[in-house]
């Protein structure tokens, strides 16, 4: 017996490779397809449309194909409501639950398409029913904003699921809308087509990243900086501090090492024991970071150390002085750690997630693990620039599913000072 479902693809599906990718998925998973309708946009601005029926020998294979097609934005044509199943216990999702992408998503509930709030990858979708009087009884198919008392749909990580939560299962009643990169150089990020490169002219790219950052701030957006200790070691701390001081950084996500070496530099002039002026290792310099942690612990925390005058310069100083919130997520290898470091992994994830959901633009600066952690929490509509001297950092971020990220393979010690100069010159 043959099983089938019909899907449709809309947008710039030809030049973006989406149509080819969809056909490849069907064939790679031992399915077949029949194109029922295909309308090709003839101008650069025109969108194309394709409707095709997917066949498979069994229901399990068909479900796997449909799931993979959903990940790239192919949606089922039948306008049925999403299937909701109550979670059987805390932190336990129903079998066959829908695992989200990081693309804008809607679910259909009682004839309405509802936008999924706080979309991010690898989550479940929970629907909260609203009062009948608030809902659209005509089922027009229009996407509606959840009003007070109306139905809501939002993501939850698995460890936040509560018994009785109505969790979306299967792919029916779900629409995914992957954003597309522009086909020309239009838009603030049109220059960043092509993924990762170390060969494009850095000065030109840095200038355009600066323009995008300034535009984000001018339009009321928020900028999140994800930074690693390499930024301090490379001598770029003063320049990031300038950006914080001048209001171009709204949030910082980092680790214990980043904050420690930033403060160490202010107290001892060293970073991880190396003199930042002479590039030499002074006697007992290797102990400076642990001395730094000890002094901050004695003060009661970073803000307290700033208040008492112990810390009077650097990135963390500027964050405290300018009310820029920061999340320091701990790891098993941390020394100390600083009192501000969140050592509970789930608590740290939730703090990072809160920042990520507020961000409109993210700069990821020489930190693999924190970049991937933040990238996992971002919607695909968030602008992301990842900079690292190691191309593996950028490619791993892309491989994890942050398809909207673009990468620059360059020295962070060159990038951040140049970026700060360009941004402040824009004022």
């Amino acid at each position: 017996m043959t099983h089938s479902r019909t899907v449709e693809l809309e947008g710039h599906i030809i030049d973006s490779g989406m149509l080819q990718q969809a056909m490849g998925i069907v064939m790679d998973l031992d399915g077949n397809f029949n194109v029922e309708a295909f309308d090709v946009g003839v101008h650069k601005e025109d969108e194309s449309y394709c409707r095709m029926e997917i066949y498979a020998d069994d229901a399990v294979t068909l479900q796997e194909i449909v799931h993979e097609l959903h990940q790239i934005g192919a949606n089922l044509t039948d306008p049925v409501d999403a299937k909701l199943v109550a979670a059987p216990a805390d932190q336990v999702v129903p079998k066959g639950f829908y695992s989200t992408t990081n693309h804008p998503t809607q679910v259909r509930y009682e004839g309405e398409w509802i936008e999924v709030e706080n979309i991010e990858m690898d989550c479940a979708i929970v629907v909260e029913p609203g009062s009948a009087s608030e809902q659209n009884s005509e089922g027009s198919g229009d996407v509606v904003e959840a009003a007070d008392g109306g139905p809501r749909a939002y993501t939850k990580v698995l460890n936040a699921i509560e018994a009785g939560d109505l969790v979306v299962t299967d792919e029916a009643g779900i629409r995914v809308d992957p954003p597309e990169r522009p086909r020309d150089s239009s838009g603030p990020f049109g220059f960043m087509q092509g993924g990762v490169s170390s060969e494009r002219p850095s000065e030109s790219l840095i200038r355009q990243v600066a323009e995008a950052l300034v535009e984000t701030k001018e339009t009321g957006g928020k900028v999140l900086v994800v930074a690693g200790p390499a930024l301090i070691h490379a001598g770029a701390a003063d320049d990031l501090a300038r950006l914080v001081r001048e209001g171009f950084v709204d949030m910082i996500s980092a680790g214990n090492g980043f904050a420690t070496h930033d403060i160490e530099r202010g107290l001892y002039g060293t970073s991880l024991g190396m003199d930042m002026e002479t590039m030499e290792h002074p006697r007992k310099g290797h102990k400076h970071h642990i001395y730094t942690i000890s002094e901050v612990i004695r003060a009661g925390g970073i803000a307290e150390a700033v208040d008492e005058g112990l810390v009077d310069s650097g990135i963390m100083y500027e964050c405290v002085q300018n009310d820029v919130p920061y999340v320091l997520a701990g790891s098993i290898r941390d020394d100390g750690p600083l009192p501000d470091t969140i050592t509970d992994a789930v608590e740290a994830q939730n703090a990072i997630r809160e920042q990520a959901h507020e961000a409109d633009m993210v700069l990821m600066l020489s930190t693999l693990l924190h970049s991937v952690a933040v990238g996992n929490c971002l919607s695909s509509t968030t602008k992301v620039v990842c900079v690292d001297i190691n191309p593996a950092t950028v490619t791993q971020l892309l491989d994890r599913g942050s398809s909207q990220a673009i990468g620059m393979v360059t020295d962070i010690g060159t990038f951040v000072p140049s970026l700060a100069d360009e941004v402040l010159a824009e004022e």
Side-chain angles (χ1 to χ4, degrees):
M1 178 180 177
T2 301
H3 298 257
S4 66
R5 299 292 288 272
T6 303
V7 300
E8 56 185 0
L9 303 90
E10 297 179 87
H12 299 294
I13 61 177
I14 300 174
D15 53 298
S16 68
M18 181 180 176
L19 180 59
Q20 180 181 359
Q21 189 178 2
M23 293 176 173
I25 287 172
V26 176
M27 292 184 287
D28 289 344
L29 295 177
D30 297 325
N32 291 292
F33 62 85
N34 176 47
V35 176
E36 297 180 338
F38 189 20
D39 298 324
V40 180
V42 295
H43 298 100
K44 184 172 63 176
E45 297 81 9
D46 294 343
E47 295 185 348
S48 299
Y49 172 83
C50 178
R51 184 178 71 250
M52 56 184 174
E53 191 167 10
I54 310 301
Y55 302 92
D57 292 335
D58 57 83
V60 174
T61 300
L62 179 64
Q63 178 68 17
E64 183 180 0
I65 294 172
V66 170
H67 175 76
E68 292 299 322
L69 291 174
H70 243 289
Q71 308 305 296
I72 65 169
N75 296 305
L76 295 171
T77 57
D78 47 336
V80 298
D81 284 352
K83 181 181 178 182
L84 306 179
V85 178
D90 289 352
Q91 301 185 4
V92 179
V93 291
K95 290 185 177 180
F97 78 99
Y98 178 78
S99 177
T100 58
T101 69
N102 61 349
H103 301 311
T105 302
Q106 299 101 37
V107 297
R108 191 174 177 86
Y109 176 74
E110 295 194 353
E112 298 176 342
W113 286 106
I114 304 171
E115 197 78 34
V116 177
E117 302 168 21
N118 295 328
I119 192 67
E120 60 178 277
M121 67 178 72
D122 301 332
C123 291
I125 297 176
V126 173
V127 173
E128 287 185 2
S131 60
S133 61
E134 295 286 342
Q135 296 172 10
N136 175 11
S137 60
E138 296 181 3
S140 65
D142 295 334
V143 176
V144 297
E145 297 294 332
D148 292 342
R152 293 179 59 216
Y154 52 90
T155 58
K156 267 194 176 184
V157 293
L158 299 194
N159 61 35
I161 291 291
E162 299 175 277
D165 279 347
L166 295 179
V167 179
V168 175
T169 60
D170 194 19
E171 271 79 19
I174 301 172
R175 294 197 305 205
V176 178
D177 183 22
E180 298 174 349
R181 292 186 184 276
R183 287 181 284 177
D184 52 25
S185 59
S186 63
F189 269 52
F191 67 95
M192 291 182 176
Q193 301 176 77
V196 183
S197 175
S198 59
E199 299 179 358
R200 282 177 278 175
S202 295
E203 289 186 8
S204 173
L205 279 174
I206 291 171
R207 185 178 308 114
Q208 292 174 84
V209 172
E211 291 171 356
L213 193 155
V214 170
E215 181 181 346
T216 298
K217 293 300 300 174
E218 288 178 346
T219 55
K222 290 189 175 182
V223 176
L224 168 63
V225 168
V226 185
L231 185 145
I232 312 297
H233 307 332
D238 285 343
D239 300 284
L240 182 55
R242 278 200 293 158
L243 290 173
V244 174
R245 183 169 58 250
E246 297 300 328
F248 289 97
V249 176
D250 297 286
M251 302 168 283
I252 286 184
S253 179
N256 182 69
F258 172 83
T260 297
H261 298 311
D262 174 61
I263 298 172
E264 174 195 342
R265 178 175 172 271
L267 294 180
Y268 300 100
T270 60
S271 176
L272 202 59
M274 184 181 71
D275 189 295
M276 296 301 295
E277 296 295 332
T278 66
M279 300 293 110
E280 296 176 351
H281 289 271
R283 186 171 178 270
K284 294 187 178 180
H286 64 286
K287 298 184 178 182
H288 287 173
H289 78 286
I290 202 67
Y291 290 165
T292 297
I293 293 170
S294 175
E295 290 303 307
V296 175
I297 291 174
R298 182 176 291 110
I302 295 174
E304 291 80 0
V306 170
D307 289 342
E308 70 177 47
L310 174 67
V311 176
D312 60 7
S313 64
I315 300 164
M316 304 312 298
Y317 170 82
E318 296 295 347
C319 285
V320 173
Q321 292 293 85
N322 294 280
D323 296 321
V324 173
Y326 51 85
V327 170
L328 304 180
S331 76
I332 196 67
R333 64 186 183 276
D334 284 340
D335 291 320
L338 293 167
D340 303 73
T341 301
I342 303 173
T343 56
D344 183 287
V346 174
E347 183 183 347
Q349 283 182 1
N350 290 335
I352 288 172
R353 181 169 286 110
E354 185 175 336
Q355 285 187 322
H357 290 169
E358 293 183 11
D360 297 287
M361 180 174 180
V362 182
L363 298 179
M364 299 179 172
L365 308 175
S366 286
T367 172
L368 171 58
L369 297 181
H370 280 84
S371 294
V372 171
V374 173
N376 288 349
C377 301
L378 294 173
S379 163
S380 62
T381 57
T382 305
K383 301 171 185 175
V384 179
V385 179
C386 182
V387 183
D388 202 294
I389 196 66
N390 182 1
T393 299
V394 184
T395 54
Q396 184 164 341
L397 181 69
L398 296 174
D399 290 344
R400 275 290 300 132
S402 300
S403 58
Q404 82 279 22
I406 59 90
M408 293 180 63
V409 181
T410 189
D411 175 29
I412 200 68
T414 300
F415 174 82
V416 175
S418 299
L419 178 66
D421 288 343
E422 290 287 349
V423 167
L424 297 178
E426 292 270 331
E427 289 190 291

